[in-house]
Amino acid sequence: MRKLLSLTLTALTASAAFAGGYRVALQGQKQLAMGHTGVAVVNSAEVLFFNPAGAVYLQDRFNVSVGGNALFARTKFQNETYNWRASTENMGTPFSVYASYKATDWLSVGLAVYSPYGSAVEWDRDWEGSHLVNNIDLQAIYIQPTISLKLSDYFSVGGGPIYVTGGVEFNRNLSRSMTDDWTPDGNRSNLTIEAKGVNAWGWTAGFMFNPLDKVRLGVNYRSEIIMEARDGDANFYNVPAALGSNPAYPTVNPNATVLSNTTFNADLPLPAELTAGISYQVTDKWLVAFDYNRAFWHVYDALVVDFKKTSTSNVPTSVNPRNYKDASTYRVGTQFKPNSKFAFRAGWYYDESPVQDGYFAPETPRNDSMGFTGGLTYQITSKLGVDVSFLYLHFDETDNSYDYYNEDGTNVSFGGTYKNVVFSPGVGLTYSF
């Protein structure tokens, strides 16, 4: 019982996946096909996400881009020392909707709706790492009204507020082994934490500079956003009777641990990002682009979950170190338009993981990765086009661990070798007039 009680102190929530494992770089079919470059590219209404300053340079007065992806992720885990093996295959559906309107030659307005954070991870129930996570399901949707001002033919600025709404559900077991779970019926003690309607505000701003007819430079900043989960549901299942209630609480012993259903508060940081890039129109048919992105993950130093104390529940506050580091992404892409009907695109990017050694947890199983992208546009009419993209994301194999799971006052490691791959086809429509 003492061991199970101490293990509950490390209760986690799926907010970790908001802040480290699954930043989904799928915010537009055209730009994804070009390696997800776009801060210095004016291709379509997708520019509202990549750099709203560029919207004023779109040729047509009204522009709409709508798209979605099917995200297939597969992770394999093994620990040869103990002969542990597990795997998870999951699917997500990130989407984007962009619309811009050129009110005057120097002013454009727009609206962007997209899902840059969102994932699902579901391991086998009661697997060897179930004390850290069984499954996660989360969403974060950004709603971004924007304005773009052309100060001259060579320079523009743009930006706007960002409203974020999301939710998260997470489940994990309360101990490392069934022996410690105190469940004679064979069901493991576990905890599900769920928060819905988690909302927050942020902002984005950028500028675009065109020093030469064939060269564009762009910079965009997206602010840090803190998702404040308040009064989320924390539900315990199959808890031993001795821990599900305690006659001494709260009158005799107000510090006694009681693992019964309650609510929780937690702050979920989504890091600020700074992106700078350049595009060069090599010929009338050939465009190349390069972006550099810096994500300021250091804001995610720890996950603190504060469980509400009631007359029937007293779950200690949980502090879980993460110690993330700032990380960079390098992107390159190209577009070739042989005629008015077709445009072909390809790209590549290298994405650094913010997770440091010793903090590698299976709820966010990712390492440094390389993305290979491609796609095309078929122009059905002069106003309507179909965009197709694909992404193959290969993660470096890593042998790593999470070393801060507390058991009886001692940190215990869980680790092994992780192999990850992601494949994502996408399709969209672009309409302008």
Side-chain angles (χ1 to χ4, degrees), residues 226-243:
I226 305 298
M227 302 287 286
E228 298 181 348
R230 296 294 180 264
D231 296 322
D233 295 326
N235 296 319
F236 292 85
Y237 300 94
N238 301 315
V239 174
L243 290 176

Side-chain angles (χ1 to χ4, degrees), residues 32-48:
L32 172 62
M34 291 181 60
H36 213 248
T37 60
V39 73
V41 176
V42 180
N43 247 352
S44 66
E46 294 175 8
V47 75
L48 294 174

Side-chain angles (χ1 to χ4, degrees), residues 75-82 84 123 127 129 131-132 322-325 353-368 396-404 412-420:
T75 301
K76 292 184 178 181
F77 167 84
Q78 68 176 19
N79 183 306
E80 294 184 354
T81 301
Y82 300 104
W84 293 341
W123 294 93
W127 72 297
H131 59 291
L132 296 176
R322 283 297 181 265
N323 196 29
Y324 276 25
K325 63 180 180 180
S353 171
V355 184
Q356 301 200 66
D357 289 344
Y359 295 88
F360 199 95
E363 82 269 11
T364 54
R366 58 157 294 177
N367 195 25
D368 296 345
D396 291 347
E397 179 179 318
T398 182
D399 189 353
N400 217 317
S401 61
Y402 185 74
D403 300 336
Y404 297 92
V412 178
S413 294
F414 175 83
T417 301
Y418 292 86
K419 299 179 181 179
N420 310 68

Side-chain angles (χ1 to χ4, degrees), residues 342-361:
F342 285 96
F344 300 94
R345 304 180 183 93
W348 172 90
Y349 65 82
Y350 179 76
D351 187 7
E352 296 177 347
S353 171
V355 184
Q356 301 200 66
D357 289 344
Y359 295 88
F360 199 95

Side-chain angles (χ1 to χ4, degrees), residues 90-285:
N90 306 283
M91 178 183 173
T93 54
F95 69 92
S96 60
V97 179
Y98 307 106
S100 71
Y101 174 71
K102 185 180 289 189
T104 70
D105 288 341
W106 55 271
L107 170 66
S108 288
V109 295
L111 179 67
V113 182
Y114 51 95
S115 51
Y117 292 85
S119 69
V121 176
E122 185 171 359
W123 294 93
D124 295 335
R125 192 75 178 182
D126 299 332
W127 72 297
E128 289 81 0
S130 61
H131 59 291
L132 296 176
V133 59
N134 275 315
N135 59 72
I136 291 172
D137 189 7
L138 64 93
Q139 295 180 349
I141 298 173
Y142 282 39
I143 302 172
Q144 174 192 312
T146 62
I147 186 171
S148 178
L149 297 172
K150 183 168 68 174
L151 304 182
S152 73
D153 290 338
Y154 308 101
F155 189 80
S156 65
V157 296
I162 298 174
Y163 175 73
V164 185
T165 182
V168 60
E169 182 179 350
F170 166 84
N171 176 272
R172 53 150 292 203
N173 289 353
L174 294 186
S175 73
R176 292 195 301 156
S177 69
M178 185 174 292
T179 303
D180 299 325
D181 279 343
W182 293 72
T183 51
D185 58 359
N187 293 318
R188 303 282 298 277
S189 300
N190 63 92
L191 165 68
T192 295
I193 295 181
E194 183 177 15
K196 296 180 179 179
V198 182
N199 305 317
W201 286 91
W203 55 273
T204 183
F207 70 83
M208 191 169 286
F209 177 50
N210 311 311
L212 301 171
D213 289 341
K214 296 184 177 181
V215 176
R216 293 187 192 271
L217 304 174
V219 174
N220 181 246
Y221 180 80
R222 191 167 291 104
S223 74
E224 173 187 321
I225 298 175
I226 305 298
M227 302 287 286
E228 298 181 348
R230 296 294 180 264
D231 296 322
D233 295 326
N235 296 319
F236 292 85
Y237 300 94
N238 301 315
V239 174
L243 290 176
S245 62
N246 190 330
Y249 175 79
T251 54
V252 178
N253 183 3
N255 296 320
T257 296
V258 183
L259 305 182
S260 62
N261 296 345
T262 183
T263 61
F264 75 96
N265 295 335
D267 290 343
L268 324 174
L270 309 181
E273 296 183 59
L274 178 65
T275 307
I278 183 173
S279 68
Y280 177 53
Q281 193 75 46
V282 182
T283 69
D284 292 341
K285 298 180 179 181

Side-chain angles (χ1 to χ4, degrees), residues 282-339:
V282 182
T283 69
D284 292 341
K285 298 180 179 181
W286 184 23
L287 173 72
V288 294
F290 172 79
D291 282 6
Y292 169 77
N293 171 271
R294 186 70 170 175
F296 301 102
W297 290 106
H298 67 269
V299 298
Y300 192 42
D301 58 348
L303 171 63
V304 179
V305 185
D306 185 19
F307 295 94
K308 183 178 180 180
K309 293 177 174 57
T310 69
S311 60
T312 58
S313 178
N314 188 24
V315 184
T317 297
S318 172
V319 179
N320 309 278
R322 283 297 181 265
N323 196 29
Y324 276 25
K325 63 180 180 180
D326 295 345
S328 297
T329 304
Y330 307 87
R331 304 182 175 119
V332 61
T334 186
Q335 172 182 272
F336 181 68
K337 299 179 68 174
N339 52 52

